[in-house]
Amino acid sequence: CLRSLAAILKETLKDAPGAGAGVVKKLLAPLDAVLEGFYNAILLHQFDSHHYTSPYCEATNSLISFIDLLEALLASRIELESPLRCQRILFLKVSYVLNVISSSIPYVIKKKLILLLKKCVLYKPREDAKSGSLFLQTPSLCEDMLALSNAVLQVVNLTWLNQIPLSGKCSYFGSSEAAPGHDSQGRSDQTVLRALSLVVLKALEFKIHNSATEAEIK
């Protein structure tokens, strides 16, 4: 079901870019509360290595399917002037995602969620994407970005970054082991490192631009 809904959303956006608002709303409005319930139930789950035994187990695949749906919901947000709750939930309850990233789930899921956060901080409505303006935003997006920024800065101010691994076991074509003569020890995942850095910097930038007092900025 998750895969089907994500696929339909992606095809809708691909087939009618800029003209799919009616279809997106008709598809998602009846599922709005259900999808928020899914988000709460799935991401509030206690993630431990007992269920997520490998990157290929059923539990891991199900969670990856849900992350794909969250990505499709984020992409579909551009179609609606007033986004639905299910399209905003990733911003408003981003703390759930931050907790999952610092849990003991497989690295492939951590990486996928970090890259999804990167898409969130780079998200712009259609008008902003055309104009190139960073802070010309709708009230709902401004509220959502502020919620995301606050949550990110709050965990970064604690020890959250120290709990994020910067490498999984290196994968190579046809094997999960390093090729002869290639030392994979100590090699960090540059994609994740860049994405994490960008998320923190964008959160800080947005918070500074939307702070009321000089003391708050400091």
Side-chain angles (χ1 to χ4, degrees):
C1 289
L2 293 173
R3 288 193 189 108
S4 298
L5 184 55
I8 291 168
L9 266 176
K10 288 174 183 175
E11 286 302 314
T12 301
L13 297 173
K14 191 192 302 179
D15 292 342
V23 179
V24 169
K25 194 163 188 176
K26 189 175 182 180
L27 177 66
L28 294 180
L31 297 172
D32 202 19
V34 175
L35 290 173
E36 182 174 0
F38 265 34
Y39 184 92
N40 295 340
I42 292 174
L43 296 185
L44 268 180
H45 174 70
Q46 292 298 311
F47 293 94
D48 56 52
S49 53
H50 177 68
H51 292 98
Y52 299 85
T53 50
S54 84
Y56 312 105
C57 69
E58 187 178 350
T60 302
N61 284 331
S62 296
L63 188 53
I64 286 173
S65 294
F66 186 65
I67 297 169
D68 287 340
L69 176 59
L70 290 177
E71 191 173 334
L73 288 170
L74 176 65
S76 70
R77 176 177 177 143
I78 202 167
E79 297 293 336
L80 302 182
E81 192 173 328
S82 299
L84 298 167
R85 177 81 178 176
C86 65
Q87 295 170 307
R88 302 180 63 192
I89 195 71
L90 187 56
F91 293 85
L92 299 177
K93 295 187 177 179
V94 72
S95 59
Y96 294 14
V97 170
L98 298 173
N99 288 338
V100 175
I101 290 171
S102 62
S103 71
S104 59
I105 55 168
Y107 182 75
V108 63
I109 295 177
K110 294 176 187 279
K111 182 171 182 174
K112 201 166 176 64
L113 284 171
I114 289 168
L115 294 178
L116 180 58
L117 285 181
K118 176 187 166 185
K119 289 186 177 182
C120 287
V121 298
L122 293 177
Y123 176 82
K124 293 178 184 177
R126 185 170 282 108
E127 314 79 63
D128 294 359
K130 286 178 183 174
S131 68
S133 170
L134 180 61
F135 298 107
L136 176 66
Q137 294 165 328
T138 60
S140 64
L141 182 57
C142 192
E143 180 186 336
D144 293 355
M145 284 296 295
L146 198 54
L148 184 144
S149 299
N150 285 335
V152 167
L153 294 175
Q154 189 173 1
V155 295
V156 166
N157 201 35
L158 301 173
T159 58
W160 184 77
L161 281 176
N162 298 336
Q163 301 169 50
I164 313 302
L166 286 179
S167 64
K169 190 173 184 179
C170 289
S171 295
Y172 296 80
F173 285 111
S175 172
S176 60
E177 301 298 332
H182 289 260
D183 179 19
S184 63
Q185 296 300 316
R187 186 179 300 165
S188 60
D189 187 330
Q190 296 300 305
T191 302
V192 169
L193 184 58
R194 285 193 298 268
L196 271 174
S197 302
L198 185 64
V199 168
V200 175
L201 287 171
K202 285 291 183 184
L204 193 59
E205 181 183 23
F206 193 85
K207 180 67 175 173
I208 287 172
H209 277 267
N210 289 274
S211 294
T213 64
E214 189 177 342
E216 194 177 11
I217 292 174
K218 287 182 179 179

